[in-house]
Amino acid sequence: MHSEFELITRFFTPDPPGAEAGVTLGVGDDCTLLAPTPGQRLAVSVDTSVAGIHFPEDAPAVAVGHRALAVSLSDLAAMGARARWCLMSLTLPAADDDAWLADFARGFHALCDATDTALVGGDVTRGELAIGVTVMGEVPPAQALTRSGARPGDLVAVTGALGGGAGGLALWQRGERDTGHPLLQRYLHPLPRLEAGLALRGLASAAIDISDGLLADLGHLLEASGVGAELTPDTLPLAEGLVTALGEEGARQAGLHGGDDYELLLGLPPDHLDEARARLAALGLALTVIGRFSDRSGVQGVTVTGDRGWQHFSGGVAP
Amino acid sequence: MHSEFELITRFFTPDPPGAEAGVTLGVGDDCTLLAPTPGQRLAVSVDTSVAGIHFPEDAPAVAVGHRALAVSLSDLAAMGARARWCLMSLTLPAADDDAWLADFARGFHALCDATDTALVGGDVTRGELAIGVTVMGEVPPAQALTRSGARPGDLVAVTGALGGGAGGLALWQRGERDTGHPLLQRYLHPLPRLEAGLALRGLASAAIDISDGLLADLGHLLEASGVGAELTPDTLPLAEGLVTALGEEGARQAGLHGGDDYELLLGLPPDHLDEARARLAALGLALTVIGRFSDRSGVQGVTVTGDRGWQHFSGGVAP
């Protein structure tokens, strides 16, 4: 076993150390010192990814590193916050594997670089493989996108496409290992919609990221906003290749219940739709209206039978 | 298994929600929004405590909750930072135990209250018992206590008493279960020296917390400061009851190498000693000079044989 210090130095020291924006004292002291932007709110969140529960134990290390950060950054995206910093708690089995660690670090750092997120601290312990990532971002006080702002009459809209996470997981479980397959790409390398979150400041009335499945996360948003919704399920934007992979009904179920998509689910006043679409189009991202919020509680337009909550890797969509 | 939401709501929602200082949006949205104090640096650190490695699997739940937060807060203390907020990643075995969780939460929240630290986020996953705690504190830019400021001629000083963590662990391993025993108390309920860290702003030239053992952590401080040290081991302030529990030589070894004490190890210019002692005395805490920093590299005055790094629970002091 490497010592904690050696591991952190070898794989997790930014290069050059301390050169990241807003970091006034870098990794290597008791704490890292950061300089928050005056007048901004600090948005914080933590997510832990456990092998065999949140991702398959044989997932590529580069994807494990990417996903562990992506799922946390997705929470910043859903607040309309700009990503700034992150800390990582890495729990590793006793058996070392330098090649695995190097790939894991590559996936993690590549997403740090792509999203301007500085890794500013962490620790390494022994145990079952798990990665906890705390993210910190910034947002002006009045511009945060919360779950509680949806009003009756607002449109229900989603970024990008749905069901890709579930489709990719299904393919992985069938033995597909071509990581270039679009659905596997969606599952293994989800992209947190940070730029979309920034673009939607001042336009969206509410936002949540779709990690547990469209209907589950819609439920959280409805509860926080105290409203209901009427969906038009035929309008769901399904991920490319999903019908081919899962069939018509499987694709529909994946779109409604599949998790791990990390798209944004939005409340949007109708007169903001054109501007929101234009801004997201400039980012290469579709915005699809899938229904409307109402003052009638619950979700109309979709028949849901049984418990279909998303179980991430451990169970897929419940039957 | 409780759902994550139910668990967080039952055991980890501050009461009343959102009423904590500096929290503008509390637990329950994608992120928590915080209002950092203008002009301060944000000090951040994360530590993960794993059952069977960092604490015995049969440790009292209230102590597990306390210690998980204490070890992270200790890093803020060592920076001279004021504790503000924390986030917790809780990994729990599949088998639920409401009584255990209630006790765990009691220990965690009690230390939150005692240190004015607000729990502002977290997640719950299934797996081997582990608790990751990210802490955030604040310190004025020029007043942070770093590891790198010790200069030749400065005194080497420690707060409180040493060896209590190792002594308590040894008693626990022998079957002692009277948690009122002073050494068990030291091991199970270590107190992060936050008030001491604040009091030492402007006085100490360097600081680190003693989590891995005096000599190991002194080594980190010497490396960061680019100096050496001459110790006077007979002056080590040993924890109450340590000689009785471990014998003369065992107590000496615990003082030099035992970890989990969470006292502060300091560099102190000699003309700051009286003021530092007075301020710590006002907190009920001793400050003991145990040597002097020098320009001769390494540690003089102590004979160290073999690898005596502290292994927390998994191995005690290496032979």
Side-chain angles (χ1 to χ4, degrees), chain A residues 223-288:
Chain A
E223 187 179 357
S225 293
V227 297
E230 179 141 5
L231 294 191
T232 50
D234 290 348
T235 59
L236 283 196
L238 297 180
E240 179 192 344
L242 195 63
V243 172
T244 305
L246 302 185
E248 290 276 354
E249 179 58 16
R252 188 180 105 86
Q253 292 299 327
L256 287 172
H257 303 286
D260 285 327
D261 277 333
Y262 303 103
E263 297 291 354
L264 298 183
L265 173 64
L266 305 164
L268 199 64
D271 57 352
H272 289 177
L273 176 61
D274 290 345
E275 176 67 18
R277 276 214 168 116
R279 291 189 193 176
L280 294 198
L283 301 171
L285 199 57
L287 182 68
T288 306

Side-chain angles (χ1 to χ4, degrees), chain A residues 21-22 34-42 82-85 137-141, chain B residues 34-42:
Chain A
L34 306 173
T37 307
Q40 303 262 313
R41 293 290 184 245
L42 190 69
R82 182 179 301 281
R84 295 298 309 272
W85 307 293
E138 294 184 326
V139 59
Chain B
L34 306 173
T37 307
Q40 302 262 312
R41 294 290 184 245
L42 190 71

Side-chain angles (χ1 to χ4, degrees), chain A residues 29-34 41-48 53 75 89 123 126 128 134 146-147 207 209 220, chain B residues 5 24 29-34 42-48 53 75 89 123 126 128 134 146-147 207 209:
Chain A
D29 214 298
D30 294 293
C31 294
T32 305
L33 295 182
L34 306 173
R41 293 290 184 245
L42 190 69
V44 297
S45 184
V46 61
D47 276 288
T48 302
I53 295 178
D75 287 318
S89 273
D123 75 339
R126 272 176 290 172
E128 289 175 342
T134 299
T146 69
R147 298 181 178 181
D209 68 316
H220 301 317
Chain B
F5 304 102
T24 63
D29 214 298
D30 295 293
C31 295
T32 305
L33 296 182
L34 306 173
L42 190 71
V44 297
S45 183
V46 61
D47 276 288
T48 302
I53 295 179
D75 287 318
S89 273
D123 74 341
R126 272 177 291 171
E128 290 175 341
T134 299
T146 68
R147 297 181 179 182
D209 67 317

Side-chain angles (χ1 to χ4, degrees), chain A:
Chain A
M1 187 69 190
H2 296 293
S3 76
E4 174 179 344
F5 303 103
E6 194 188 339
L7 261 182
I8 290 175
T9 302
R10 284 187 59 192
F11 292 114
F12 299 111
T13 299
D15 183 30
E20 304 284 352
V23 181
T24 64
L25 181 68
V27 173
D29 214 298
D30 294 293
C31 294
T32 305
L33 295 182
L34 306 173
T37 307
Q40 303 262 313
R41 293 290 184 245
L42 190 69
V44 297
S45 184
V46 61
D47 276 288
T48 302
S49 301
V50 180
I53 295 178
H54 299 93
F55 58 88
E57 306 204 5
D58 60 349
V62 66
V64 175
H66 173 102
R67 289 182 92 260
L69 177 58
V71 301
S72 287
L73 289 175
S74 182
D75 287 318
L76 294 181
M79 295 299 293
R82 182 179 301 281
R84 295 298 309 272
W85 307 293
C86 67
L87 299 96
M88 175 174 47
S89 273
L90 178 59
T91 306
L92 281 175
D96 266 349
D97 183 336
D98 277 12
W100 192 94
L101 270 176
D103 281 348
F104 172 84
R106 183 174 298 120
F108 194 95
H109 285 307
L111 188 59
C112 279
D113 291 346
T115 58
D116 280 333
T117 307
L119 175 65
V120 298
D123 75 339
V124 181
T125 54
R126 272 176 290 172
E128 289 175 342
L129 177 62
I131 311 102
V133 179
T134 299
V135 288
M136 290 176 275
E138 294 184 326
V139 59
Q143 294 191 35
L145 307 177
T146 69
R147 298 181 178 181
S148 57
R151 294 292 164 259
D154 286 353
L155 305 172
V156 182
V158 291
T159 62
L162 298 178
L169 175 55
L171 289 182
W172 183 269
Q173 289 175 320
R174 288 181 204 162
E176 175 64 57
R177 291 296 181 271
D178 172 9
T179 56
H181 189 293
L183 291 176
L184 278 194
Q185 186 73 19
R186 285 298 305 252
Y187 178 65
L188 296 174
H189 290 269
L191 294 180
R193 299 305 188 189
L194 287 159
E195 294 296 329
L198 296 179
L200 291 162
R201 286 182 182 174
L203 294 180
S205 56
I208 189 173
D209 68 316
I210 303 178
S211 55
D212 295 331
L214 172 65
L215 289 185
D217 289 310
L218 177 61
H220 301 317
L221 198 153
L222 296 182
E223 187 179 357
S225 293
V227 297
E230 179 141 5
L231 294 191
T232 50
D234 290 348
T235 59
L236 283 196
L238 297 180
E240 179 192 344
L242 195 63
V243 172
T244 305
L246 302 185
E248 290 276 354
E249 179 58 16
R252 188 180 105 86
Q253 292 299 327
L256 287 172
H257 303 286
D260 285 327
D261 277 333
Y262 303 103
E263 297 291 354
L264 298 183
L265 173 64
L266 305 164
L268 199 64
D271 57 352
H272 289 177
L273 176 61
D274 290 345
E275 176 67 18
R277 276 214 168 116
R279 291 189 193 176
L280 294 198
L283 301 171
L285 199 57
L287 182 68
T288 306
V289 175
I290 62 169
R292 193 177 281 266
F293 291 98
S294 71
D295 52 14
R296 180 177 168 196
S297 74
V299 177
Q300 317 299 324
V302 182
T303 305
V304 179
T305 53
D307 171 14
R308 292 183 174 275
W310 178 245
Q311 297 297 317
H312 298 281
F313 169 64
S314 58
V317 178

Side-chain angles (χ1 to χ4, degrees), chain B residues 215-234:
Chain B
L215 289 186
D217 289 310
L218 177 61
H220 301 317
L221 198 153
L222 296 183
E223 186 179 357
S225 292
V227 296
E230 178 142 6
L231 294 190
T232 50
D234 290 348

